[in-house]
Amino acid sequence: QITFYEGKSFSGRKLEVCGTCSSFQERGFSPRVNSICVQSGAWVCFAHPGLRGQQFVLEHGEYPRWQRWNGRGDRMGSCRPVGMHGQHYRIELFERSRFGSRSLELTEDCSCLRGRGWEQPFVNAVRVYGDGAWVLYEEPNYRGRMYVVERGEFSSFRAWQACSASVQSVRRVINYL
């Protein structure tokens, strides 16, 4: 469960969500969200309705101000739970789209891909194996825009709704109940 609040520090009108919500406005809630409480699971929230736009990954805990979830503003329009099937994490990153060229396999978080021998500041395709979900970040040290990838194949950066192939750090989504 996740609860969105119009005001800072969990004040004002609220919207409680237990599953995918493709439009906050259709549920009578403002697109302005200033605080969030994640009671269970891990969630990916989107800046726009229809599960589109900038993504924000939120795990168990409290977020009293929008700046806490790495937002560039207080706009949010939809959300869904992150698909977590267990605790076996494995991801393979590819230099070129359609799984071409060099690859790098990870089973743990990586704050800087260059530190693991990945020479390019981009990733063009991803395969997620096992049970867990991952977050791809545009910048080192888990900063910048973020994108969630779950079990499956993503043959280009557009498949994970990115504007560019820039990826410089990755981390596992830990599903706290």
Side-chain angles (χ1 to χ4, degrees):
Q1 182 176 333
I2 186 169
T3 306
F4 301 93
Y5 297 86
E6 284 182 334
K8 295 175 184 166
S9 300
F10 319 107
S11 63
R13 291 185 36 209
K14 67 181 180 179
L15 171 65
E16 293 180 350
V17 177
C18 294
T20 299
C21 179
S22 61
S23 175
F24 292 177
Q25 288 180 309
E26 286 180 9
R27 303 243 336 241
F29 194 72
S30 167
R32 296 199 181 274
V33 174
N34 280 288
S35 54
I36 299 172
C37 182
V38 179
Q39 291 89 351
S40 61
W43 295 77
V44 59
C45 301
F46 299 84
H48 303 293
L51 307 175
R52 306 292 302 162
Q54 185 174 356
Q55 298 177 24
F56 311 100
V57 179
L58 301 169
E59 295 171 82
H60 185 264
E62 295 184 343
Y63 302 83
R65 291 176 304 285
W66 61 264
Q67 293 90 342
R68 292 283 309 271
W69 60 80
N70 196 24
R72 290 182 166 86
D74 62 357
R75 291 238 177 238
M76 194 170 290
S78 55
C79 69
R80 69 172 175 80
V82 174
M84 301 290 292
H85 310 285
Q87 298 298 316
H88 299 96
Y89 294 90
R90 189 170 137 224
I91 189 169
E92 191 173 11
L93 311 173
F94 293 85
E95 203 170 85
R96 294 196 181 147
S97 59
R98 299 190 201 326
F99 315 105
S101 191
R102 226 168 64 91
S103 70
L104 173 66
E105 187 173 303
L106 299 169
T107 57
E108 298 288 331
D109 298 354
C110 182
S111 64
C112 182
L113 292 175
R114 285 189 185 222
R116 295 291 302 267
W118 193 258
E119 297 170 15
Q120 304 299 329
F122 56 81
V123 171
N124 276 294
V126 170
R127 281 192 179 121
V128 179
Y129 306 96
D131 304 324
W134 294 77
V135 185
L136 311 174
Y137 291 87
E138 285 185 337
E139 300 172 17
N141 299 313
Y142 318 116
R143 299 183 59 92
R145 289 187 185 266
M146 57 184 82
Y147 305 96
V148 174
V149 290
E150 298 167 54
R151 182 170 42 195
E153 294 189 344
F154 302 84
S155 62
S156 81
F157 64 87
R158 287 182 178 80
W160 62 80
Q161 297 185 29
C163 298
S164 76
S166 180
V167 174
Q168 296 186 48
S169 57
V170 300
R171 75 170 177 84
R172 298 163 296 156
V173 176
I174 306 299
N175 189 15
Y176 296 102
L177 297 177

